[in-house]
Every structure is written in structure tokens, then in C-alpha cells.
Amino acid sequence: MEIKNKPRRLEPPTGAESLPLYRQVKRELQKIIEAGHYGPGKSLPSEAALALALQVSIGTLRHAVDELVHEHVLVRRQGKGTFVAPHNKARFMFQFFHVEPRWNPEDDDSPREQEFPEIACIGFARDRADETEAKALRIKPGEPVFRIENKLGLRGRVVVHDKLALSAAMFRNLTEKRFVERPSTVYALYQTDFGITVLRAQERARATAAGATVARVLAVPAASPVMEVHRLALTFGDKPVEYRISTINTQAHDYVSVLSKKS
């Protein structure tokens, strides 16, 4: 899918909707971004131009943009303007990768910097969705999916085994070569090559015992205690993009979540 990067005429909110005006503006901005009129890393028109086109005040426009910045859809760059937030390694580490070597505050005065994992694809196949995958991706059981396996290492030690399921209808023309040879992160590939931006993810974590495949990949004894994280990656309108099961060896690593509250 080619990202268009072609400006679209903005229609002013009608005022007939029950949503607050700034949320109507937010939704209109989301539509033009989702449609690819401004691709990842591309700048939007100035706030003054947007406010004029939408026939709203600068304050209303900024309120809408503030929310999209908070949700990592847009990014402001001082003195340069507002841009569509690209998926890159920095965003991946900040928003979506939570595994770090265990830190003992008694050993050091400050936490270690987060490390980008070494990622290797160890499996890629086209198959039929099972019931769990179908329910997560909101497709019918038996519909075609891509199943992908990755192993992620830190400092030469594999600590995460990932299993991904993607709807083949959403990712037409995806190939193993295209996936493996991507220049950046998986989510960057979704965004740049298919026009699909992962905005957020829902995760559920549980303790489990390592099965034979996981034990082999993580180099731990079978039935060893591991952490299993089920992630559903979502795009605009909370539409599912990817269902992922990450199994983590927590013997020397932690799953770290940074919580914050929007002001």
C-alpha cells in the first residue's frame, strides 16, 4: 500500500453530533491520518491553517492535537510544527518493549539504559486462523493468517519468544523476505508498507510453564516457570492489527511497565 501524502480538504464539524467540538476535530484529524493523506514523519498544516479549515478556534484545535500527541498519533517538534508520529526504534522501546535486565538498586546508583533487542525471525508461514486467533483478530476461524515466530535477545542471551498472528487480508503481499529484510521495527513495517499504524496495545500477563518449543528457544529446561504476555495491537477505531504471545524468561530479566496519568 502506498502512503499518499496528499492533503485532503477538511470539512468543518457540523455541530449536530453529541461529541464535544474538540473531539469532533480530533476525529477529523484521525480520518486524514488513517487514510494516508499525511504519511509517517510528514508534517501537518499549521495549527492556524487547520483551525481555519475546520472553522474552529485555535484553542479547540490545540485541545484535539494535544490528545493525539498524548496517544502517540502526532508528535510536536519545537519550532518545526506537528508531524505524524512514525514508528521507529525509539517509539518501540518507549511504548511497546518492556523487558529489561534485572536491576538491583544496591548494585548501582542509577538504572541501566534500556537496550534494543536483537531480533531474529525463526518461523514464517501462511495458515488458517484457529478460534483464539480469529476471536482476537475479529475474523472467522479458518480465514488465512500469517504466523510468525521471532526470538529476541539481550546481550547475546535469548529472553523472549514471540508468536505473531496477522490477518492475511489486512497484510496482502506480505512475504517472509519482506518481513525479515525490513529496515526498522515490525510496527514500522506495518506503517510504512501497509499504511497501518499501531496506536496502542492491550496486554494480559500470566505465569506458565515452558513447553518444548519455548524451552528450546529460550534455552531453559522444559516446564520451567516463564511469563506469558498476550498482546493485541490496535489501530484507529480499536481495530485489531496483530495478536502476539510473548514468552519471557524472567530468571534474570523483568517485565517493566511505566505508569503515568494524563494531566
Side-chain angles (χ1 to χ4, degrees), residues 98-103 157-161 205-208 210 214 218 220 224-229 246-256:
H98 307 292
V99 179
E100 299 178 11
R102 184 155 301 137
W103 172 59
R157 180 177 182 177
V158 177
V159 293
V160 181
H161 172 256
R206 64 195 67 167
T208 189
V214 168
L218 298 181
V220 298
S224 294
V226 289
M227 181 179 183
E228 192 175 84
V229 179
S246 299
T247 307
I248 306 165
N249 178 4
T250 57
Q251 292 179 356
H253 294 77
D254 293 324
Y255 183 89
V256 180

Side-chain angles (χ1 to χ4, degrees), residues 44-217:
L44 295 184
S46 69
E47 290 185 345
L50 286 172
L52 181 62
L54 291 165
Q55 296 180 21
V56 296
S57 69
I58 287 286
T60 297
L61 186 282
R62 284 180 180 166
H63 195 170
V65 170
D66 285 345
E67 285 211 350
L68 292 172
V69 169
H70 179 78
E71 295 169 4
H72 309 289
V73 178
L74 299 175
V75 60
R76 283 192 176 101
R77 294 176 183 164
Q78 189 68 31
K80 294 184 178 180
T82 303
F83 297 77
V84 176
H87 271 287
N88 51 30
K89 288 186 177 183
R91 182 174 179 183
F92 174 78
M93 295 301 293
F94 172 74
Q95 193 175 0
F96 296 106
F97 188 70
H98 307 292
V99 179
E100 299 178 11
R102 184 155 301 137
W103 172 59
N104 184 349
E106 296 180 356
D107 295 340
D108 195 9
D109 292 336
S110 60
R112 297 170 181 170
E113 288 187 9
Q114 200 174 7
E115 304 170 43
F116 191 82
E118 303 147 5
I119 305 174
C121 179
I122 57 174
F124 187 101
R126 187 184 173 104
D127 208 336
R128 298 288 176 178
D130 61 29
E131 289 189 5
T132 300
E133 294 165 338
K135 183 176 181 180
L137 296 173
R138 297 183 203 160
I139 59 177
K140 295 178 181 179
E143 287 192 16
V145 293
F146 291 110
R147 288 210 186 104
I148 302 166
E149 285 188 71
N150 288 333
K151 62 179 181 180
L152 287 71
L154 291 171
R155 300 182 181 179
R157 180 177 182 177
V158 177
V159 293
V160 181
H161 172 256
D162 274 349
K163 292 194 300 181
L164 286 64
L166 309 172
S167 168
M170 182 176 283
F171 291 92
R172 297 183 187 277
N173 302 319
L174 178 63
T175 63
E176 183 174 5
K177 176 180 173 65
R178 195 172 183 182
F179 183 84
V180 171
E181 295 181 357
R182 65 188 185 277
S184 186
T185 69
V186 172
Y187 290 174
L189 174 72
Y190 299 167
Q191 186 182 53
T192 58
D193 287 26
F194 298 93
I196 299 170
T197 298
V198 173
L199 298 178
R200 64 188 189 91
Q202 297 173 347
E203 293 188 334
R204 294 178 180 271
R206 64 195 67 167
T208 189
T213 299
V214 168
R216 174 177 51 81
V217 173

